[in-house]
Amino acid sequence: MKKYLAECFGTFWLVFGGCGSAVLAAAYPELGIGFVGVSLAFGLTVLTMAYAVGHISGGHFNPAVSIGLLVGGRFSGKDLVPYIIAQVIGAILAAAVLYVIASGNDIFDATAGFASNGYAKHSPCGYSMLSALVIEIVLTAFFLIIILGSTDQRAPSGFAPIAIGLALTLIHLISIPVTNTSVNPARSTGVALFQGSWAIEQLWLFWVAPIIGAIIGALAYKFISCECKK
């Protein structure tokens, strides 16, 4: 139960910190943090929580990561469903708290987006469904390669959270204009439920694409990291 709670807390922090920066601070008049600030916020949430609770649960905070680690042989199948449930609960709780805070401003309107992920007319820059599908698959695949590589027993110890946090920052710098960046089905689900309309209709892509990408990334890392027997 402790590791499931750790996953719930970690995913809460990721969604609250990352999506919170987008909803509350990204477009603040004149002093808004913009895309770069939001990207850093997402990376910092993972970095800080990986150090805080990673030793308890492994620090997944993402259903796609859990699935990728399972495929990569780093995670037990018996924990997969409880981990995903804990992650989704954490994301929904974070979105709920963020909704309460943001509602304190009279001009707030969750239906305008609420940091939700989308494609076509709901993409920040109008990218198509195919563009969204491809970028989410590719970026999640490389995210898994970085996670598996930085946590490999042959890698320098103690630095994995830094590499993973910076990777998530880079991922957001690349893809916020395309999909508002998911690579995490729990993150997408939490805010979509409060957006309440198009974000729920398009949510399928932000489950399917990250999971496909995670499986590809895990298989790719298993292939390139395999030590051939003499």
Side-chain angles (χ1 to χ4, degrees):
M1 183 58 69
K2 290 180 180 179
K3 58 188 177 184
Y4 305 147
L5 286 173
E7 283 297 303
C8 183
F9 293 155
T11 311
F12 179 102
W13 187 236
L14 185 152
V15 174
F16 185 74
C19 294
S21 70
V23 171
L24 303 176
Y28 186 82
E30 298 181 10
L31 297 175
I33 62 175
F35 283 177
V36 174
V38 173
S39 299
L40 283 170
F42 271 101
L44 289 171
T45 59
V46 170
L47 188 156
T48 51
M49 267 297 169
Y51 276 121
V53 301
H55 56 285
I56 299 172
S57 67
H60 301 186
F61 318 140
N62 181 338
V65 169
S66 296
I67 292 169
L69 292 176
L70 175 64
V71 173
R74 302 277 191 88
F75 184 54
S76 172
K78 66 181 178 63
D79 284 326
L80 180 61
V81 172
Y83 263 54
I84 292 175
I85 292 172
Q87 292 156 359
V88 172
I89 289 173
I92 294 172
L93 290 174
V97 173
L98 180 58
Y99 182 87
V100 171
I101 295 169
S103 297
N105 188 318
D106 292 338
I107 65 172
F108 170 69
D109 178 12
T111 62
F114 198 52
S116 296
N117 302 115
Y119 55 84
K121 67 179 180 180
H122 300 299
S123 158
C125 291
Y127 284 88
S128 69
M129 181 179 73
L130 179 60
S131 296
L133 189 68
V134 171
I135 200 166
E136 289 287 333
I137 290 173
V138 170
L139 292 177
T140 311
F142 275 90
F143 194 35
L144 261 293
I145 291 171
I146 293 165
I147 291 170
L148 289 165
S150 62
T151 56
D152 194 302
Q153 61 182 0
R154 294 167 289 178
S157 62
F159 295 101
I162 298 174
I164 295 167
L166 289 175
L168 192 59
T169 298
L170 176 59
I171 285 168
H172 279 78
L173 288 172
I174 295 168
S175 61
I176 285 178
V178 183
T179 61
N180 220 17
T181 310
S182 174
V183 302
N184 185 335
R187 168 261 190 272
S188 299
T189 300
V191 290
L193 294 179
F194 288 86
Q195 194 284 326
S197 56
W198 59 261
I200 296 175
E201 295 170 3
Q202 297 189 351
L203 183 59
W204 67 270
L205 187 144
F206 302 103
W207 275 86
V208 172
I211 290 172
I212 292 173
I215 292 170
I216 292 172
L219 293 175
Y221 186 77
K222 284 182 72 174
F223 177 76
I224 63 175
S225 68
C226 178
E227 294 183 346
C228 298
K229 295 180 180 180
K230 295 182 180 180

